[in-house]
């Protein structure tokens, strides 16, 4: 583990609350250990700001292990920063060098209102799941797990889709603000599995409708979502969703 | 404080059935008249909320994060146990029960652990039905692996993301009930206090994290599913928002707190490498199946690992524990790593690490095989440390991981406050002193999906409750108290930051105190010292913490300060509990209680009990009560790993 340090200039979006107008503020940060994660770098900045009597930068985070999907910001125009398949909390400062200027702003999308600084409200994604991203099964009375055999390749494919962490980077990076990678991943997981079959049609229709209601845009194959997704979710899931939707619309 | 565990009579295998039969029911038509508050949306809280709503109750659910899907449970990697015996290797409910009670070093209740083993199988069926993509064999049946030294393969998994997939399953069931209008979901709301009416739990006070607004919520019963308190140590493998606040507030209102000193330390985490560090990342324990642990024989040897010849390396686990070698249990592996570092043989820039070396395994099985087994873990390690375990040994060090202590509950998962239930990591009940891997996920889901529903019905069915509204006096009083607490937290910030300390600076001090004296190994002298130093840190906090901003806005420093204030109080019973338990058991090593071979020595005659602390008022010494543990079906035996 190297203990090199770097000096950075940060331009960070500051916005007091949903109603206030925001602006970029510039901060100089010295002696940042390259072993730090991006969020630890922000911790250091916040400790400095606090000691100086200023308002620390608000940002969302929880697991700091790349799995809860709570962290996320746009770094120099790229959601979750420059490293492929990496959440912000797993991005390390060794990927930057002394003298770099980092422009840090929240995930921007009509459907994600800003709450403060880098914190946005991504509850629209929850409402998409509430529209049908589940198998309607009550607790209890379920058959033995092995009575539903699933080929391991299918289970793996479902797992690929299921590994979406709901961070919303796909939305933030899409020129249309579409949530199709996120929604496509959930629809795919469930339509690949036998458990998802009974509600397959209804689910596709309801979830697509929910996306529209929330104000998300439509996919025009820009592939920006796939490029920034920290979990490597493939746009094949969008194709699968479109197919499900068309089938549901025309063949019920 | 009366501690009646309410364990049903009859033979062990029939207790739960008998209990379900004798428990009161609530008529389906009446269920909608009852309101239940669930705090927390981890495995325990999400599964409980969904299940109770399906049964017809009106449920209000709260969590700190922006979405219920983000609860700390999401991070669990390894897997979940069940006694399915799908592998035909001799597993059974009886065996899972026995392994779990033995793994807890005979410091948990027989009846609870047996019930856990019984319902474990339903959990897997439930999750499969929800569409949780568990790993499968080629023939399509569920795959299993062995975990944590168990001799049967009973662990179900979904890649290295089992917690994620199980939580998303429970979250989807919860989402369905939110849509149905049976669960009112309150995100970004922090429970600040519990409200009692006529001695019963009837509601909570919460703070809206976005606006800072306080509000009261009333109900007929309150379920806490707020997780563990590992973050008392500042550095841990827990999510940053994990805290003890809800449980501690309940404790101050009369709920007994059980075994607070039982903390599990995980041996294979990425070591600390700077004082800015916020988080310790766990590396799956499965790495010890092929990795060999060693340190240089000579203290202070700072050569790179590759230039230290074989004969100058100390494979200390293999030489000390020839039959288990690198696969000794978590506590033994953790303690031995610390011991080596204390002797000056630690490696890395901080000398607080040991090597976990795959060189021999790679030579034996080839790179491809090792990468197939551990590829994603190697990647994760390299992402964080920029070092490739194929070329250089990993560096690992123990970290605080899981807390077995929690609110004391009886067989009905009810605390000593009527109407207040605690489930998942937030209660103490099933793990004793040394939780095994893959059993915490099992307990969270067992409590939430299959146990708490029966218990709630029994409580509501046998306790007539007057209606209360959140506008009544006990609620307004509690709200005022919370307001006053927030004002008190902000008091020392008047006049600016000059000469003051940040919340994290003080939290780090508390963490260090606990790690040094109430961590992997404890002794009387150290614990007494910690008990003396704790009030100084508490005073420093109240006198000099600087929190920018106000209480009426999104204020993350204030959130952390509130949680730290509770950790600072809670630390006292943690230390007192460790001091009172003069035996070693499980993860709790009292240095004074060791065998001649330096192994932990349990004292069944003196300590076969649960220690339960009662709050006697601020500034008063807490009182220790004991629930005796009675073993009718297993015979406690001493552990040996030689
Ligand atoms: C890295 C890691 C790996 C693990 N791997 C495994 C494994 O492989 N197998 C295994 O069995 N176990 C594992 N564990 C342990 C296991 O994950 C946890 O014990 C378990 O998930 C706890 O679940 P829970 O539902 O009790 O609480 P949590 O998931 O911690 O949920 C707590 C909930 O309470 C809410 N909350 C807390 N305080 C408040 C408040 N004051 N107001 C409102 N809401 C509040 C939070 O928002 C959250 O929703 C692992 C743990 C870690 C850290
Ligand atoms: S699809 Fe990828 S980018 Fe979009 S929410 Fe899921 S994990 Fe995040
Ligand atoms: S903090 Fe959880 S994914 Fe980054």
């Amino acid at each position: 583990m190297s203990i090199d340090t770097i000096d950075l200039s940060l331009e960070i979006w500051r916005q007091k609350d949903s109603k206030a107008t925001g602006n970029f503020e510039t901060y100089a940060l010295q002696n940042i250990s390259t072993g730090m994660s991006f969020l630890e770098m922000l911790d250091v900045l916040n400790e400095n700001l606090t000691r100086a009597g200023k308002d620390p930068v608000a940002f969302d985070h929880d697991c700091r292990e790349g799995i809860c999907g709570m962290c996320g910001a746009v770094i120099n125009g790229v959601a979750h920063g420059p490293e492929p398949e990496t959440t912000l909390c797993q991005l390390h400062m060794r990927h930057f060098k002394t003298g770099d200027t980092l422009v840090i702003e929240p995930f921007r999308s009509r459907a994600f209102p800003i709450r403060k600084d880098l914190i946005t409200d991504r509850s629209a994604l929850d409402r998409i799941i509430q529209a049908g991203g589940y198998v309607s099964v009550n607790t209890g009375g379920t058959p033995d797990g092995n009575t539903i055999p699933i080929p391991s390749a299918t289970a793996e494919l479902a797992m690929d889709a299921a590994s979406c962490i709901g961070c919303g980077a796909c939305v933030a990076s899409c020129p249309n603000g579409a949530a199709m990678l996120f929604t496509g991943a959930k629809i795919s997981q469930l339509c690949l599995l036998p458990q998802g079959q009974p509600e397959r049609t209804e689910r596709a229709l309801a979830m697509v409708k929910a996306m529209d209601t929330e104000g998300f845009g439509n996919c025009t194959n820009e592939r920006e979502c796939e490029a920034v997704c920290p979990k490597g979710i493939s746009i094949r899931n969008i194709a699968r969703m479109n197919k499900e939707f068309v089938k549901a619309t025309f063949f019920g | 404080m009366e501690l009646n565990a309410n364990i049903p009579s009859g033979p062990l295998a029939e207790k739960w059935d008998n209990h379900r039969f004798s428990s009161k029911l609530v008529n389906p038509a009446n269920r909608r008249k009852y309101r239940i508050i669930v705090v927390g949306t981890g495995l325990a809280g999400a599964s409980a909320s969904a299940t109770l709503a399906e049964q017809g109750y009106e449920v209000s659910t709260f969590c700190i994060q922006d979405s219920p899907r983000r609860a700390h449970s999401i991070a669990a990697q390894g897997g979940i146990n069940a006694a399915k015996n799908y592998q035909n290797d001799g597993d059974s409910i009886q065996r899972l029960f026995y392994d779990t009670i033995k793994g807890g070093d005979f410091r948990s209740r027989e009846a609870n652990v047996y019930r856990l083993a019984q319902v474990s199988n339903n959990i897997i069926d439930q999750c499969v039905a929800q569409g949780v993509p568990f790993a499968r064999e080629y023939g399509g049946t569920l795959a299993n692996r062995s975990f944590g030294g168990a001799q049967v393969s009973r662990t179900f998994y979904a890649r290295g993301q089992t917690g994620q997939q199980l939580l998303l399953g429970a979250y989807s069931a919860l989402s369905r009930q939110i849509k149905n209008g049976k669960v009112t979901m309150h995100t970004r709301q922090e429970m600040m206090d519990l409200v009692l009416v006529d001695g019963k739990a009837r509601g909570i006070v919460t703070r809206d994290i976005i606006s800072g607004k306080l509000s009261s919520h009333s109900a007929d019963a309150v379920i806490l599913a707020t997780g563990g308190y590992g973050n008392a140590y500042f550095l841990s493998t827990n999510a940053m928002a994990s805290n003890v606040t809800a449980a501690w507030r309940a404790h101050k209102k009369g709920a007994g707190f059980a075994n607070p000193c039982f903390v599990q330390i995980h041996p294979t985490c990425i070591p600390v490498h700077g004082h800015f560090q916020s988080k310790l990342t766990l590396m799956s324990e499965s790495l010890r199946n092929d990795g060999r642990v060693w340190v240089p024989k000579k203290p202070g040897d700072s050569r790179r690992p590759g230039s230290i010849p074989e004969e100058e390396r100390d494979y200390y686990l293999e030489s000390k524990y020839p039959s288990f070698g690198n696969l000794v249990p978590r506590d033994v592996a953790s303690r031995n790593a610390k011991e080596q570092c204390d002797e000056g043989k630690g490696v890395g820039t901080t000398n607080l690490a040991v090597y976990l070396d795959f060189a021999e395994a790679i030579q034996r099985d080839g790179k491809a095989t090792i990468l197939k087994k551990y590829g994603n873990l190697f990647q994760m390690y390299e992402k964080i440390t920029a070092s490739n375990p194929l070329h250089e040994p990993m560096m690992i060090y123990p970290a605080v991981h899981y807390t077995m202590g929690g609110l004391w509950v009886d067989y009905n998962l009810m605390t000593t406050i009527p109407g207040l239930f605690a489930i998942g990591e937030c209660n103490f009940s099933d793990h004793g002193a040394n939780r095994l891997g893959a059993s915490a996920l099992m307990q969270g889901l067992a409590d939430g999906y299959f146990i708490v529903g029966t218990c709630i019905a029994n409580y509501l069915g046998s306790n007539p409750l007057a209606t209360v509204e959140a506008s009544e006096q006990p609620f307004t009083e509690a709200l005022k108290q919370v307001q006053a607490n927030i004002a008190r937290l902000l008091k020392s910030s008047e006049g600016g930051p000059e000469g003051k300390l940040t919340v994290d600076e003080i939290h780090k001090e508390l963490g260090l105190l606990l790690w040094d004296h109430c961590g992997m190994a404890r002794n009387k002298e150290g614990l007494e010292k910690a008990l003396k130093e704790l009030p100084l840190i508490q005073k420093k906090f109240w006198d000099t913490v600087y929190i920018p901003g106000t209480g009426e806005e999104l204020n993350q420093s204030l959130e952390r300060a509130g949680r730290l204030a509770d950790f600072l109080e809670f630390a006292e019973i943690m230390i007192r509990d460790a001091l009172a338990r003069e035996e070693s058991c499980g993860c709790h090593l009292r240095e004074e209680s060791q065998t001649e071979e330096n192994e932990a020595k349990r004292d069944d005659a003196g300590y076969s009990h649960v220690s339960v602390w009662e709050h006697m008022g601020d500034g008063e010494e807490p009182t220790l009560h004991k629930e005796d543990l009675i073993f009718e079906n297993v015979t406690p035996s001493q552990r040996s790993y030689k």
Side-chain angles (χ1 to χ4, degrees):
Chain A
M1 256 167 257
S2 67
I3 38 165
D4 299 339
T5 62
I6 53 174
D7 300 340
L8 296 168
S9 170
L10 307 176
E11 281 179 32
I12 306 185
W13 183 259
R14 304 302 311 260
Q15 182 171 334
K16 196 169 163 23
D17 53 36
S18 298
K19 283 174 225 113
T21 46
N23 62 286
F24 282 102
E25 298 263 346
T26 306
Y27 307 95
L29 207 51
Q30 270 101 37
N31 289 325
I32 289 301
S33 158
T34 52
M36 278 185 206
S37 72
F38 198 88
L39 299 188
E40 282 164 346
M41 181 276 290
L42 288 179
D43 289 342
V44 171
L45 171 73
N46 277 346
E47 289 287 283
N48 293 352
L49 289 174
T50 306
R51 282 192 210 99
K54 296 197 182 117
D55 194 23
V57 179
F59 64 94
D60 260 334
H61 62 108
D62 200 12
C63 72
R64 296 205 172 188
E65 280 188 24
I67 190 80
C68 75
M70 192 138 168
C71 67
V74 176
I75 315 304
N76 292 342
V78 184
H80 288 303
E83 286 294 296
E85 296 193 20
T86 303
T87 54
L88 200 57
C89 58
Q90 291 286 289
L91 174 66
H92 284 77
M93 296 314 289
R94 73 180 77 91
H95 301 294
F96 302 96
K97 55 182 194 308
T98 276
D100 279 356
T101 295
L102 307 184
V103 182
I104 307 169
E105 42 186 334
F107 281 176
R108 294 192 193 273
S109 164
R110 191 153 41 118
F112 294 169
I114 295 176
R115 291 296 177 225
K116 182 175 179 180
D117 300 339
L118 305 176
I119 295 184
T120 58
D121 180 349
R122 291 165 288 180
S123 53
L125 298 182
D126 285 322
R127 289 188 292 274
I128 294 177
I129 299 295
Q130 286 158 21
Y134 44 75
V135 174
S136 295
V137 50
N138 282 356
T139 304
T142 49
D144 182 272
N146 265 351
T147 57
I148 312 176
I150 300 170
S152 68
T154 309
E156 291 296 311
L157 214 55
M159 182 63 215
D160 286 342
S163 59
C164 160
I165 58 174
C167 64
C170 47
V171 176
S173 64
C174 174
N176 310 314
M180 289 188 141
L181 197 61
F182 170 83
T183 313
K186 187 48 80 180
I187 288 184
S188 291
Q189 177 200 341
L190 296 176
C191 80
L192 283 164
L193 296 171
Q195 298 93 313
Q197 298 315 310
E199 294 166 291
R200 189 168 175 169
T201 306
E202 212 178 304
R203 176 181 308 116
L205 295 173
M207 289 181 78
V208 169
K209 184 160 167 242
M211 280 195 305
D212 293 341
T213 315
E214 293 295 340
F216 291 103
N218 272 313
C219 175
T220 47
N221 262 317
E222 313 283 335
R223 307 188 69 152
E224 296 290 341
C225 55
E226 188 184 57
V228 299
C229 175
K231 293 293 142 180
I233 307 283
S234 153
I235 56 158
R236 275 196 296 273
N237 292 296
I238 297 185
R240 206 180 278 118
M241 174 177 76
N242 286 335
K243 214 164 85 196
E244 288 296 303
F245 181 71
V246 169
K247 260 203 322 216
T249 313
F250 294 105
F251 309 107
Chain B
M1 179 171 283
E2 211 204 322
L3 298 175
N4 181 355
N6 286 313
I7 298 168
S9 55
L12 193 58
E14 289 163 31
K15 283 183 194 294
W16 179 227
D17 245 4
N18 290 343
H19 187 65
R20 279 193 289 181
F21 183 67
S22 62
S23 288
K24 290 267 188 336
L25 299 176
V26 178
N27 171 332
N30 283 337
R31 289 184 203 152
R32 77 174 73 91
K33 295 183 194 146
Y34 287 107
R35 293 174 299 160
I36 298 166
I37 283 175
V38 180
V39 189
T41 60
L43 287 176
S47 58
S49 300
T51 302
L52 292 167
E54 288 161 11
Q55 291 174 356
Y57 299 100
E58 291 295 326
V59 180
S60 286
T61 303
F62 297 79
C63 75
I64 294 174
Q65 293 84 0
D66 67 330
S67 161
R69 68 181 292 148
R70 316 237 193 257
H72 161 69
S73 294
I74 200 106
Q77 301 168 353
I80 179 168
N81 282 340
K84 283 284 196 184
N85 195 29
Y86 281 161
Q87 306 307 327
N88 194 24
D89 54 4
D91 202 5
S92 63
I93 288 171
Q94 178 71 23
R95 191 180 294 277
L96 176 55
F97 155 71
Y98 181 73
D99 288 354
T100 309
I101 208 138
K102 182 162 174 252
D105 228 357
F106 304 95
R107 291 293 171 263
S108 45
R109 260 186 223 141
E110 278 189 344
N112 284 59
V113 178
Y114 195 87
R115 173 175 65 184
L116 176 69
Q118 276 176 310
V119 303
S120 67
N121 290 339
N122 303 54
I123 296 174
I124 302 306
D125 300 339
Q126 182 64 31
C127 297
V128 168
Q130 289 170 344
V132 169
F134 283 120
R136 298 275 171 162
E137 306 290 355
Y138 285 109
T141 52
L142 289 148
N144 295 105
R145 59 183 170 202
S146 74
F147 202 76
Q151 284 162 311
V152 290
S153 291
R154 60 159 73 104
T155 308
F156 294 78
Y157 61 100
R159 289 200 190 136
Q161 298 156 9
T162 316
Q164 178 197 31
Q165 290 310 315
L166 295 173
L167 184 65
L168 291 182
Y171 157 82
S172 71
L174 172 64
S175 297
R176 175 170 158 245
Q177 295 308 320
I178 295 172
K179 179 72 172 181
N180 283 347
K182 291 304 285 181
V183 172
T184 311
M185 185 67 223
H186 305 264
T187 56
R188 295 214 201 250
Q189 293 270 341
E190 181 159 9
M191 167 174 163
M192 307 298 278
D193 215 344
L194 178 75
V195 184
L196 306 190
V197 178
D198 298 332
K200 296 193 173 96
R202 294 307 298 270
I204 60 173
V205 175
T206 61
R207 179 174 181 273
D208 182 320
I209 286 177
I210 299 289
S211 66
K213 195 169 164 290
L214 301 179
S215 52
S216 309
H217 309 264
S218 66
D220 297 297
V222 176
I223 302 176
L224 298 187
T226 49
Y229 50 81
N231 278 355
Y233 291 82
F234 188 75
L235 285 179
S236 79
T237 63
N238 289 10
M240 303 301 285
S242 295
N243 67 89
V244 79
T245 290
W248 184 249
R249 294 279 138 194
H251 174 67
K252 289 181 85 170
K253 291 261 161 115
F257 208 110
N259 298 339
C261 81
F262 286 175
V263 174
Q264 192 189 71
I265 307 217
H266 200 288
T268 52
C269 300
I270 297 181
V272 181
H273 57 95
H275 71 269
F276 53 84
Q277 191 118 357
S278 60
K279 162 85 193 196
L280 297 174
T281 302
L282 176 102
M283 300 297 297
S284 168
E285 188 163 38
S286 63
L287 291 168
R288 288 198 284 143
N289 285 321
D290 282 295
R292 296 181 71 193
V293 175
W294 64 275
V295 290
K297 276 189 179 151
K298 201 167 73 224
D301 188 340
S302 60
R303 285 174 292 175
R304 293 203 78 89
S307 4
I308 301 179
E310 216 36 53
E311 60 279 7
E312 292 179 44
R313 300 175 176 194
D314 184 357
Y315 294 90
Y316 58 89
L317 289 178
E318 294 169 28
S319 50
K320 228 168 136 183
Y321 307 93
S323 57
F324 275 73
N326 295 298
L327 289 172
V328 290
R330 291 179 177 181
D331 58 313
V332 178
S334 298
R335 273 200 303 276
N336 278 279
K338 180 170 187 287
E339 222 172 79
Q340 296 299 324
C341 295
D342 288 350
E343 286 169 20
K345 295 191 269 180
V347 300
T349 49
T350 57
N351 300 325
L352 287 175
V354 299
Y355 289 126
L356 181 63
D357 200 338
F358 294 87
E360 194 188 280
I362 291 168
Q363 208 161 42
R364 185 186 59 225
D365 301 337
K367 262 187 198 164
T369 309
I370 294 300
L371 276 180
K372 186 157 181 278
K373 275 197 198 164
Y374 307 112
N376 62 332
L377 293 168
F378 280 20
Q379 252 176 5
M380 176 166 132
Y381 181 85
E382 192 176 358
K383 200 164 225 172
I384 297 174
T385 64
S387 148
N388 183 345
L390 283 179
H391 306 138
E392 227 176 37
M394 277 187 182
M395 282 192 268
I396 53 163
Y397 198 66
V400 169
H401 179 55
Y402 178 84
T403 53
M404 287 80 77
L407 290 176
W408 183 87
V409 290
D410 66 3
Y411 189 74
N412 285 312
L413 305 180
M414 190 154 90
T415 67
T416 51
I417 298 176
L420 180 71
F421 296 78
I423 60 178
E425 193 173 338
C426 164
N427 76 24
F428 88 105
S429 71
D430 297 0
H431 304 302
N434 177 28
R435 186 190 66 104
L436 300 157
S439 48
L441 299 179
M442 172 170 70
Q443 187 224 343
L445 291 178
D447 288 359
Y449 282 133
F450 297 108
I451 301 171
V452 81
T454 301
C455 307
I456 284 274
N458 186 48
Y459 171 74
L460 296 174
S462 46
N463 280 282
L465 293 168
T467 28
V468 299
E469 293 304 329
S471 51
E472 288 173 31
Q473 198 212 4
F475 289 88
T476 47
E477 243 166 54
L479 197 124
K480 258 195 225 135
Q481 188 56 50
V482 170
Q483 224 154 17
N485 290 347
I486 293 175
R488 185 170 165 231
L489 280 173
L490 290 166
K491 186 102 187 50
S492 61
S493 304
E494 288 166 8
E498 203 64 33
K500 297 188 185 145
L501 293 167
T502 65
V503 179
D504 281 3
E505 282 173 309
I506 300 171
H507 197 162
K508 283 177 191 174
E509 235 179 279
L510 171 69
L512 222 52
L513 181 85
L514 290 175
W515 181 250
D516 285 346
H517 301 302
C518 196
M520 263 183 280
R522 299 110 188 244
N523 60 50
K524 183 165 186 284
E525 198 190 350
L527 289 162
E528 281 174 346
K529 187 159 175 261
L531 212 49
K532 278 210 201 78
E533 282 175 20
L534 181 63
L536 304 178
I537 306 180
Q538 286 169 335
K539 187 168 160 28
K540 199 188 262 183
F541 174 77
W542 288 108
D543 291 350
T544 63
V545 72
Y546 179 73
I547 304 164
T550 69
E552 284 88 48
E553 59 185 330
L554 199 165
N555 187 339
Q556 295 181 314
S557 305
L558 178 64
E559 283 167 36
R560 289 203 307 273
R563 292 170 201 153
L564 175 58
D566 291 328
F567 278 136
L568 281 165
E569 291 183 359
F570 169 70
E572 181 184 338
I573 62 165
M574 233 170 137
I575 300 167
R576 282 189 191 278
D577 192 43
L579 197 55
R581 193 168 283 274
E582 290 177 353
E583 65 160 349
S584 296
C585 60
C587 285
H588 171 74
L589 182 89
R590 266 299 283 263
E591 285 172 351
E592 297 92 331
S593 180
Q594 299 192 43
T595 64
E596 277 144 32
E597 293 150 328
N598 286 96
E599 295 306 319
K601 194 165 108 206
R602 227 176 47 225
D603 173 1
D604 288 333
Y607 294 92
S608 199
H609 61 246
V610 179
S611 306
V612 188
W613 294 87
E614 180 179 1
H615 183 73
M616 306 306 288
D618 286 330
E620 303 287 322
E621 253 185 50
T623 305
L624 174 62
H625 302 268
K626 292 172 186 170
E627 178 201 334
D628 287 324
L629 292 167
I630 297 147
F631 295 97
E632 290 170 343
N633 300 279
V634 296
T635 314
S637 57
Q638 203 64 38
R639 298 196 296 172
S640 170
Y641 299 102
K642 286 283 162 187

